[in-house]
Amino acid sequence: MNSKILSIAAVGLLSIGAASCSDYLDKEVDLTLQAENVFSDYDRTRGYLAQLYDYLPDAFQGYNDTQYRLSQDCMTDNAVDYWGVARYHSVIADAYDATNHWFADFYWSRDYTGIRGINQYLLNARPDIVGNAEKSGDDNRLYDRWDAEARVLRAILHFDLLCWYGDVPIVADDENGTPIILAPSTPLPERKAAADVLKWIADECDKYKDNLPFRYSDETENWGRINGAAAYALKTRALLFRASPLFNPGNDVSRWTDAANAAKDFIAKNRMQSNPYRLYTTDSNDPNQNYYQCFVTNPVLNNEYILSRSVWTTLQIEYFNAPCGFTGSISATGYLNPTQNLVDAYETINGLPIDQDPVYDAQNPYVNRDPRLEQTILHHGSIWGDGDEARAIDVNNDDTRQGADYSRGNGGTATGYYSKKYLHNIRWDGTVGNQRHACPIFRYAEILLAAAEALNEAGQTGEAYEYVNQVRARVGMPAYSGMSQDQLRERIQNEIRIEFCFEDHRYFDVRRWKLFEKNGGSASAEASLPRYRQVFTLYGVAVREGTSHTFNYGLSDIDSHYSFTAPKNYFFPIPYDELQKTGYPQTPGWEL
């Protein structure tokens, strides 16, 4: 895989003979020597900052690891991972302990290493080297711009930590405003309450968002760099989380108002731009293509993407997601299997949940549905493949015949489904080259749905419709109207689920909404709910063309039950080594 922004870093550092940035970050260094070596040079300073972007969250980062592939949705009710040794299975089964938790160790180390590197940059970057003159265009007051980029990046990493661990230390500036530099062996500061960390993140965005171009005029050169829009978006997301039940147990409505105002501030600022962000549509504005094409078009030219970590030029997304029956000189494995829970979440074309629309037919389940279903998920009968390789997906598995896409060696489907999102429709005869992929950290649809959610929760249900209906209109779905606050809450949460599936949102959303507890805390308590509202039990479909019922709905063949205990499974444990250094109390439920 290759990344544009990392290639910039390589040019900035390696071509002039300096040590790599990863070496600089991962060691306890003598800044009296190395800082002067790096920050006395413009290109090295630029390269150092660019390489810090490698620490941004990225939904594709696991595709290089045989035990950590695919989307994080594979540890939610949205999908399961067919690959038997994947680490996601241990999260669903709650099989990790506090002293041996791969994800807990990984995210803590990665994010705080990145934060330490950012603080090194903030402490040592020099305006006389970078330059800070008034200029036209993107490089106006460049030192201030780079400083703001680094500070918003630091806030993003704190947000990522908070999502995984809850209460976390803020490692930013001391009381004199000097960036805190701590060696890896040094204990971190005390943990702060999650709501306070979220407020700090929002305040950081406020301080620096207007020191950045809202959108870069030259996005070919600056694509992937943090801009003002990313800061506005992070503030919106942080305040939305701060208002949500997990972090706002008393339901302080003013927090929802703050989140709504942040989203509307983004929208107002965006409207002032000559090239505003907007929902991606095809040239013909085809509702049956708009959503799918958003994720396979050149991301650098996508007006919906606000921030993405990088462009991956690869075929690994296709290898691991496409149906396993597509083989040739290259072969797919189809490890990412959407659940029936997710499939059922897509409304009928009439704008109704499937259990509320009498025209829905469980034996002809994919007709007359929200167009995003066909644009996101490959099911039995979907047409896939390029040119003469195109054919219908076949996951039949009755007594007489097994379909080509049911299973093959180490690949197959445990639910009857495959993911189509991000997949380029390549040829499998080996004639195709690597394809460009990017998963957005922020995109414009999130701002609209954040506004809708926050306004509804703030008691402004009538105003919320405008924003959720814009997202629905892109795919030709009927507008919402005339609902109670509770009814619209359920529909907005569903809209967020299907709009952002496989973008690393669902794991955090089900927790911030406290859906496990709202469903009674167990599989038996939620059993009477429709599948799309269940979070403890994961479902699939068995296609049996040789029996009386073509579609037989039942449990997923893999990870059919989600093990969740409150409060333990809201957050990961603090790594054991960190507890030994700091004496922190362990995350509730993970105590030894």
Side-chain angles (χ1 to χ4, degrees):
M1 294 185 178
N2 297 303
S3 157
K4 176 178 174 60
I5 199 162
L6 293 186
S7 68
I8 292 172
V11 170
L13 288 174
L14 300 181
S15 66
I16 58 177
S20 74
C21 223
S22 59
D23 289 342
Y24 184 55
L25 291 178
D26 292 342
K27 297 177 181 177
E28 297 182 37
V29 297
D30 179 358
L31 280 179
T32 61
L33 297 176
Q34 282 195 278
E36 177 62 26
N37 183 44
V38 173
F39 295 107
S40 62
D41 181 271
Y42 173 88
D43 288 328
R44 292 177 182 174
T45 302
R46 180 175 183 268
Y48 185 96
L49 176 60
Q51 199 154 2
L52 290 172
Y53 277 82
D54 192 38
Y55 291 94
L56 277 172
D58 187 354
F60 293 154
Q61 65 189 2
Y63 280 84
N64 280 332
D65 185 326
T66 58
Q67 290 181 266
Y68 176 36
R69 288 175 171 154
L70 313 180
S71 167
Q72 289 172 4
D73 277 25
C74 290
M75 49 186 184
T76 76
D77 53 342
N78 272 359
V80 299
D81 188 338
Y82 188 89
W83 184 235
V85 299
R87 296 186 179 97
Y88 295 129
H89 303 303
S90 294
V91 174
I92 290 179
D94 194 20
Y96 284 121
D97 62 47
T99 63
N100 182 27
H101 194 302
W102 186 89
F103 289 98
D105 293 343
F106 174 77
Y107 288 115
W108 188 274
S109 174
R110 186 199 67 174
D111 286 344
Y112 277 119
T113 298
I115 289 167
R116 188 170 74 252
I118 292 166
N119 285 350
Q120 297 276 22
Y121 173 86
L122 293 172
L123 183 66
N124 293 284
R126 295 165 48 182
D128 61 311
I129 298 298
V130 175
N132 207 31
E134 296 280 354
K135 296 181 179 180
S136 60
D138 295 334
D139 289 347
N140 179 50
R141 301 193 66 86
L142 189 60
Y143 172 83
D144 288 347
R145 193 197 97 187
W146 286 4
D147 180 85
E149 285 183 50
R151 291 179 185 276
V152 175
L153 175 56
R154 186 174 65 178
I156 290 173
L157 297 187
H158 278 87
F159 181 84
D160 191 56
L161 283 159
L162 177 140
C163 289
W164 295 117
Y165 304 98
D167 300 348
V168 293
I170 297 173
V171 184
D173 304 329
D174 63 21
E175 62 275 9
N176 298 316
T178 303
I180 298 171
I181 305 296
L182 297 174
S185 59
T186 303
L188 296 171
E190 65 178 347
R191 297 172 75 176
K192 299 291 187 183
D196 293 339
V197 179
L198 289 164
K199 180 64 165 57
W200 174 82
I201 291 167
D203 289 345
E204 285 288 284
C205 292
D206 260 346
K207 289 178 186 176
Y208 301 107
K209 65 184 189 301
D210 294 320
N211 287 354
L212 294 157
F214 187 80
R215 185 171 184 178
Y216 290 109
S217 58
D218 185 352
E219 292 196 329
T220 301
E221 175 67 19
N222 290 305
W223 192 87
R225 285 189 175 272
I226 289 168
N227 56 18
Y232 277 83
L234 175 60
K235 178 184 176 182
T236 299
R237 188 184 290 181
L239 291 178
L240 189 74
F241 272 56
R242 189 169 186 264
S244 297
L246 181 60
F247 304 106
N248 185 20
N251 194 28
D252 180 351
V253 176
S254 69
R255 293 190 184 183
W256 289 110
T257 300
D258 290 344
N261 288 338
K264 291 199 293 184
D265 285 348
F266 181 108
I267 293 166
K269 183 80 171 182
N270 189 52
R271 285 173 177 161
M272 296 168 60
Q273 308 304 308
S274 60
N275 183 26
Y277 291 99
R278 48 200 178 273
L279 295 174
Y280 178 88
T281 59
T282 58
D283 290 343
S284 59
N285 194 16
D286 182 353
N288 295 307
Q289 285 292 321
N290 286 339
Y291 185 80
Y292 169 73
Q293 291 295 333
C294 179
F295 301 101
V296 295
T297 190
N298 184 346
V300 180
L301 304 178
N302 190 331
N303 286 309
E304 186 166 345
Y305 279 33
I306 298 167
L307 179 66
S308 176
R309 176 185 172 276
S310 54
V311 176
W312 297 119
T313 304
T314 182
L315 285 178
Q316 286 183 276
I317 310 301
E318 284 72 27
Y319 291 160
F320 296 131
N321 290 0
C324 69
F326 284 85
T327 63
S329 61
I330 54 176
S331 298
T333 54
Y335 290 151
L336 177 56
N337 303 159
T339 60
Q340 191 66 48
N341 309 53
L342 175 60
V343 172
D344 285 359
Y346 292 87
E347 297 173 349
T348 69
I349 198 65
N350 298 320
L352 297 172
I354 60 172
D355 59 318
Q356 298 177 28
D357 192 334
V359 305
Y360 170 73
D361 180 359
Q363 293 304 312
N364 194 13
Y366 311 120
V367 299
N368 297 321
R369 299 288 293 278
D370 183 325
R372 283 171 291 192
L373 173 58
E374 287 292 339
Q375 295 175 67
T376 307
I377 293 172
L378 294 168
H379 56 75
H380 188 71
S382 295
I383 303 300
W384 191 247
D386 183 53
D388 60 349
E389 294 182 347
R391 61 172 177 79
I393 303 299
D394 186 356
V395 295
N396 184 76
N397 188 37
D398 59 34
D399 294 337
T400 61
R401 185 180 68 82
Q402 185 178 97
D405 303 300
Y406 177 73
S407 68
R408 177 187 60 77
N410 289 326
T413 179
T415 62
Y417 300 104
Y418 294 98
S419 174
K420 183 178 180 181
K421 194 168 183 175
Y422 310 115
L423 285 187
H424 293 260
N425 195 7
I426 65 169
R427 295 189 62 81
W428 298 88
D429 59 8
T431 60
V432 67
N434 288 336
Q435 304 295 303
R436 294 165 64 88
H437 305 79
C439 181
I441 296 171
F442 303 113
R443 61 183 174 93
Y444 186 59
E446 179 183 352
I447 305 300
L448 295 172
L449 291 179
E453 179 183 358
L455 285 165
N456 184 57
E457 297 298 339
Q460 301 175 61
T461 298
E463 190 178 349
Y465 292 121
E466 172 189 353
Y467 300 103
V468 65
N469 287 339
Q470 288 183 50
V471 177
R472 292 172 63 79
R474 189 230 306 250
V475 292
M477 286 296 288
Y480 287 146
S481 64
M483 297 181 184
S484 69
Q485 182 187 51
D486 289 346
Q487 289 171 329
L488 187 57
R489 175 186 301 120
E490 182 179 327
R491 300 323 305 155
I492 288 173
Q493 289 182 358
N494 193 75
E495 193 75 14
I496 289 170
R497 178 185 193 175
I498 62 176
E499 179 68 25
F500 299 112
C501 67
F502 312 129
E503 295 180 49
D504 287 358
H505 286 243
R506 183 66 176 174
Y507 184 88
F508 304 127
D509 284 340
V510 295
R511 284 162 172 76
R512 72 180 177 92
W513 294 326
K514 302 187 77 170
L515 294 188
F516 290 100
E517 292 184 51
K518 288 181 179 179
N519 279 17
S522 69
S524 59
E526 71 173 8
S528 62
L529 297 173
R531 284 185 296 260
Y532 65 87
R533 290 184 59 190
Q534 295 188 38
V535 292
F536 287 97
T537 308
L538 308 184
Y539 294 93
V541 64
V543 178
R544 304 279 195 262
E545 291 182 332
T547 64
S548 58
H549 292 89
T550 301
F551 294 92
N552 299 278
Y553 301 96
L555 298 178
S556 166
D557 292 341
I558 294 173
D559 294 333
S560 59
H561 293 89
Y562 203 110
S563 181
F564 185 95
T565 302
K568 175 186 178 183
N569 297 121
Y570 279 114
F571 301 110
F572 288 158
I574 301 299
Y576 183 73
D577 289 347
E578 195 65 43
L579 295 183
Q580 296 297 100
K581 287 191 297 182
T582 61
Y584 287 155
Q586 183 55 282
T587 302
W590 290 97
E591 298 89 349
L592 295 176

